[in-house]
Amino acid sequence: MSNRSIMAAVLLASLASAAQAQSPKEQYNAETKRLATRYAEDKKLCADEQDSGQRMQCLRDAKSEYDKSLALAKAQYKASPAKPGECRDCGKVTSVVLGEKAGEGSALGVIAGGVAGALLGNQVGSGHGRQLATVAGAAGGAYAGKKIEEKAKSTKQWTVHVQYDNGRQASFHFDHDPQMLTGDRVQNANGSIIRR
């Protein structure tokens, strides 16, 4: 066996062991970088096409191939077994924002506001001016009644922003205080999050 054959065998063995030493996340990150580089190279090749129709088709084909390869890399990452103690759906709370969720107005608020506005408008002026004031009062009162009802039915809403360990971000809404603070470690659980 020649020295070159031995060197090639050693190199292949070291590459294989290095690939096994990488975590699934490291392998996924390396693969997505490789795919992004390949996609950029393909786009450069497409730019060399003289015909615009062929150039566009080339770009569509390159994008399609990139999307398929990326989907395959994601599927392999999700299918790879997690190491003990590793959590794929875990992340960190980046912020908790307390806001107000607008209530929904009903016909009752519109009608009550319209009647009140019409009564007040009827008190202004005389003749045609009074009729116009009544109509304007009814329209303004209906709008005001709707807004007042929406405000009265509004509720507090907590929005928790999360950055996952894989870089993905998400937001979760709660109608009660979730008792989470910025920096808390959380994990996905049935479409929501729980503290870890």
Side-chain angles (χ1 to χ4, degrees):
M1 206 163 160
S2 70
N3 283 343
R4 283 188 177 174
S5 300
I6 293 172
M7 290 295 283
V10 169
L11 181 62
L12 285 174
S14 66
L15 286 174
S17 67
Q20 289 176 346
Q22 286 183 328
S23 71
K25 183 177 181 181
E26 291 169 333
Q27 289 175 356
Y28 173 72
N29 289 340
E31 182 66 8
T32 55
K33 282 182 184 177
R34 187 190 71 75
L35 292 173
T37 302
R38 176 62 193 262
Y39 181 47
E41 291 170 359
D42 287 348
K43 289 194 297 187
K44 286 178 187 175
L45 288 175
C46 292
D48 293 339
E49 289 287 341
Q50 299 298 322
D51 181 48
S52 65
Q54 290 177 345
R55 187 170 41 251
M56 292 305 295
Q57 185 60 46
C58 179
L59 289 170
R60 282 191 293 270
D61 291 344
K63 177 71 169 138
S64 174
E65 189 63 32
Y66 172 71
D67 289 343
K68 280 192 250 180
S69 299
L70 195 59
L72 178 63
K74 284 181 184 177
Q76 288 174 341
Y77 172 65
K78 289 192 179 258
S80 64
K83 293 179 182 177
E86 182 182 14
C87 175
R88 291 213 178 103
D89 291 332
C90 293
K92 182 173 75 170
V93 174
T94 56
S95 67
V96 179
V97 179
L98 175 59
E100 199 169 275
K101 181 179 177 184
E104 293 185 22
S106 66
L108 182 62
V110 173
I111 292 169
V115 169
L119 289 174
L120 288 175
N122 195 31
Q123 303 298 318
V124 177
S126 62
H128 290 296
R130 177 176 283 180
Q131 290 173 345
L132 287 174
T134 302
V135 171
Y143 178 77
K146 180 179 185 284
K147 290 299 179 187
I148 290 169
E149 185 178 20
E150 286 175 358
K151 182 71 175 164
K153 289 183 176 180
S154 67
T155 57
K156 289 183 179 180
Q157 182 177 40
W158 286 261
T159 304
V160 179
H161 300 280
V162 175
Q163 170 129 15
Y164 289 99
D165 295 341
N166 65 5
R168 185 172 55 97
Q169 296 181 350
S171 297
F172 297 89
H173 304 287
F174 296 90
D175 58 358
H176 61 281
D177 187 356
Q179 301 293 319
M180 292 182 191
L181 302 172
T182 301
D184 284 352
R185 295 285 299 162
V186 292
Q187 180 177 5
N188 275 12
N190 299 326
S192 188
I193 53 172
I194 57 171
R195 192 175 303 125
R196 215 170 123 77

